[in-house]
């Protein structure tokens, strides 16, 4: 059994001084490399959460650490009051990778979503001709787009939403995956449809086949923007650059974050059509750190890794293997498995153990993951994971379900 001698004293410190807005697993990580982390007592674990996909390239990928280090030695921050020699190149390289026309840099995912909401509204008033202050954005039930006051205004998760009002109006919620409901919700005031191509926090929910092609058609027919939140699903997680690529659908705007910062620093962006992002004029939106040189240097190294296609291929091939192995557990403590690529939502049989109990049993067997909701585990290993490590984790899961 693993030693946890130092662990409890670190946890005590966290609980005494840190705000209690998380309920972490009792493991205190002090070092990491690739798919592996080490705790303060020297125990090693496979990371099957990857910082909610922020660590798609694994911990401390050498090319990313080098890019950050080199930039730290040259220039860290200018603010956008001046140009810097990394910003334009990052925007161009990210636009080329994503086959989009323009890039708006921010820091966190929530800021990217906020920015996409602001841009969509401004576009609705200035280009589409929606009456002042009446733009509507259609969102999905079960969504997760971040934690700001406006974003939690349209969250239907009571924990994320309750007691943070008064809330921002202008959002219309429809069931996820229900094309008819979207069609019924569209009005002349609809500016955008904002959705995750696969709902991550909700438990890796994959919509019905053809759903997003239908959404695209509705957007085209009604002059409505399709805004795809690819903050968790994008950048190779599902086996393609964007999860939406599986549906052969293009969004008007994509929000990106998490893996865009290579697991090193927060980097986010809205990428998309120049005539939409082009509604922003100097002074109308911004961020002190958005597009700062360190972010751009790391982001450029991330783009370079993604441009090889290696991580997309790994996710596709190893994802098929992971899902094959997980499917073997259905009926043996697992109720069902969803997902795409190296991304899986595993529903624990309600007669078996809770997600938390299984997460703890996995920790004891050297695998870290986290339940989402009561009975769903989310598996999202770094895309550098090997087949043998997948076997190790799935074997540990099989044991944990029955422990
Ligand atoms: C994580 C996430 C966000 C918010 O990103 P932060 O960096 O935590 O603000 C937004 N949308 C989706 C789909 C996410 O998974």
């Amino acid at each position: 059994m693993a030693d946890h001698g130092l662990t409890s004293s670190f946890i005590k410190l966290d609980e005494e001084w840190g705000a209690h807005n998380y309920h972490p697993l009792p493991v205190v990580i002090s070092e990491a490399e690739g798919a592996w982390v080490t705790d303060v007592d020297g125990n090693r674990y496979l990371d099957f959460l990857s910082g909610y996909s922020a660590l798609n390239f694994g911990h401390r990928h050498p090319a990313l650490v080098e890019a950050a280090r080199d930039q730290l030695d040259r220039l860290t921050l200018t603010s956008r009051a001046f140009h810097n020699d990394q910003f334009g190149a990052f925007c161009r390289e990210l636009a080329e990778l994503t086959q989009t026309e323009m890039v708006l840099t921010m820091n966190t995912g929530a800021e990217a979503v906020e920015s996409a909401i602001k841009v969509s509204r401004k576009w609705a008033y200035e280009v589409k001709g929606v009456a002042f202050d009446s733009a509507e954005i259609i969102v999905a039930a079960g969504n997760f787009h971040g934690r700001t006051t406006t974003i939690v205004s349209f969250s239907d998760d009571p924990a994320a939403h309750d007691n943070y009002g008064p809330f921002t109006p202008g959002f219309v919620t429809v069931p996820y995956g229900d094309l008819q409901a979207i069609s019924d919700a569209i009005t002349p005031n609809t500016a955008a449809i904002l959705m995750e191509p696969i709902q991550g926090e909700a438990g890796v929910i994959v919509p019905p086949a053809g759903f997003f092609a239908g959404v695209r058609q509705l957007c085209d027919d009604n002059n409505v923007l399709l805004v795809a939140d690819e903050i968790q699903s994008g950048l190779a997680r599902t086996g393609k650059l964007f999860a939406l690529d599986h549906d052969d659908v293009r969004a008007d705007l994509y929000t990106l974050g998490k893996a865009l910062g290579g697991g090193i620093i927060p980097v986010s962006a809205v990428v998309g059509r120049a005539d939409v992002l082009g509604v922003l004029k100097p002074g109308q939106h911004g961020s002190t750190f958005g597009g700062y040189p360190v972010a751009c240097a790391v982001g450029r190294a991330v783009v370079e890794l993604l441009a090889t296609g290696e991580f997309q291929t790994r996710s596709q091939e190893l994802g098929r293997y992971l899902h094959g192995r997980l499917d073997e557990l259905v009926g043996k403590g697992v109720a069902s498995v969803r997902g795409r690529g190296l991304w899986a939502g595993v529903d624990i049989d309600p007669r078996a153990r809770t997600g938390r109990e299984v997460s703890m049993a996995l920790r004891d067997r050297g695998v870290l993951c986290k339940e989402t909701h009561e009975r769903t585990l989310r598996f999202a290993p770094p895309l550098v994971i090997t087949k043998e490590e997948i076997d190790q984790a799935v074997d540990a899961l099989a044991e944990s379900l029955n422990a």
Side-chain angles (χ1 to χ4, degrees):
M1 183 47 84
D3 176 28
H4 295 293
L6 288 174
T7 294
S8 55
S9 61
F10 280 94
I11 291 176
K12 235 175 108 192
L13 201 59
D14 283 16
E15 286 176 351
E16 187 171 357
W17 296 98
H20 297 174
N21 57 327
Y22 282 89
H23 179 38
L25 274 193
V27 54
V28 181
I29 298 166
S30 55
E31 281 175 47
E33 185 173 359
W36 290 88
V37 304
T38 307
D39 75 9
V40 287
D41 291 305
N43 305 300
R44 295 180 79 227
Y45 308 86
L46 268 173
D47 181 354
F48 255 63
L49 181 62
S50 309
Y52 306 97
S53 285
L55 289 156
N56 278 2
F57 311 100
H59 292 267
R60 300 190 304 111
H61 189 289
L64 303 180
V65 170
E66 190 190 341
R69 230 181 235 138
D70 285 354
Q71 191 57 43
L72 285 175
D73 284 338
R74 294 198 305 118
L75 172 73
T76 58
L77 185 72
T78 54
S79 88
R80 295 287 307 284
F82 314 114
H83 294 272
N84 70 67
D85 65 358
Q86 296 295 311
F87 176 76
F90 173 50
C91 292
R92 175 185 170 163
E93 288 156 15
L94 181 59
E96 284 175 352
L97 176 78
T98 56
Q99 294 177 281
T100 55
E101 298 168 337
M102 196 172 266
V103 171
L104 172 67
T105 54
M106 300 298 286
N107 309 284
T108 66
E111 283 178 305
V113 173
E114 283 276 343
S115 303
I117 290 168
K118 287 172 75 176
V119 166
S120 297
R121 286 177 166 184
K122 206 164 190 295
W123 172 86
Y125 300 128
E126 295 176 7
V127 180
K128 181 169 176 172
V130 171
F132 178 69
D133 261 9
S134 54
E136 292 164 358
I137 295 177
I138 296 172
V139 298
N143 70 73
F144 182 85
H145 297 287
R147 300 288 196 168
T148 64
T149 316
T150 286
I151 292 171
V152 300
S153 295
F154 56 88
S155 169
D156 52 18
D157 175 354
H161 171 277
D162 289 359
N163 287 337
Y164 294 122
F167 296 109
T168 307
F171 299 95
V172 179
T173 304
V174 298
Y176 187 63
D178 185 340
L179 207 52
Q180 187 59 47
I182 295 179
S183 175
D184 295 343
I186 291 176
T187 74
N189 291 336
T190 306
I193 297 170
L194 164 65
M195 279 178 197
E196 300 155 86
I198 291 176
Q199 288 188 321
E201 298 299 306
V204 194
I205 310 292
V206 183
F211 171 64
F212 275 103
V215 175
R216 177 71 268 174
Q217 191 62 50
L218 285 173
C219 287
D220 291 343
D221 293 346
N222 295 281
N223 196 22
V224 166
L225 301 175
L226 174 53
V227 182
D229 183 348
E230 294 259 12
I231 289 167
Q232 193 166 158
S233 61
L235 308 185
R237 172 51 62 189
T238 65
K240 290 187 186 281
L241 184 67
F242 291 135
L244 217 45
D245 293 345
H246 293 280
D247 304 287
D248 280 317
V249 168
R250 297 291 301 173
D252 301 295
L253 299 176
Y254 295 90
T255 55
L256 300 175
K258 293 199 166 98
L260 192 58
I264 297 179
I265 47 170
V267 183
S268 72
V270 185
V271 302
R273 277 166 52 182
D275 64 324
V276 178
L277 283 168
V279 300
L280 294 177
K281 299 288 180 286
Q284 295 177 344
H285 188 57
S287 158
T288 304
F289 278 84
Y292 77 117
V294 182
C296 293
V298 172
R300 293 181 72 186
V302 164
V303 168
E304 206 179 319
L305 290 181
L306 287 167
T308 65
E310 178 195 333
F311 293 91
Q312 291 88 320
T313 304
R314 288 189 74 84
S315 180
Q316 222 167 79
E317 291 174 355
L318 292 167
R320 211 171 293 132
Y321 186 72
L322 171 68
H323 280 275
R325 292 269 357 241
L326 289 173
D327 285 342
E328 292 167 15
L329 299 180
V330 174
K332 297 175 188 160
V334 168
S336 59
V337 182
R338 296 170 301 274
R340 204 161 256 169
L342 279 172
W343 202 19
V346 178
D347 286 340
I348 308 297
D349 187 327
R351 288 160 305 183
R353 321 182 74 190
T354 65
R356 183 79 182 185
E357 285 168 342
V358 178
S359 297
M360 285 296 288
L362 277 168
R363 180 206 73 159
D364 293 341
R365 287 163 180 77
V367 178
L368 296 184
C369 75
K370 183 81 163 66
E371 72 279 5
T372 175
H373 307 292
E374 187 81 337
R375 301 219 168 254
T376 303
L377 292 181
R378 175 177 21 189
F379 278 3
L383 309 181
V384 296
I385 196 105
T386 65
K387 211 171 147 194
E388 292 69 33
E389 289 163 342
I390 289 172
D391 281 330
Q392 199 175 323
V394 177
D395 292 345
L397 175 63
E399 276 180 40
S400 301
L401 289 165
N402 302 304

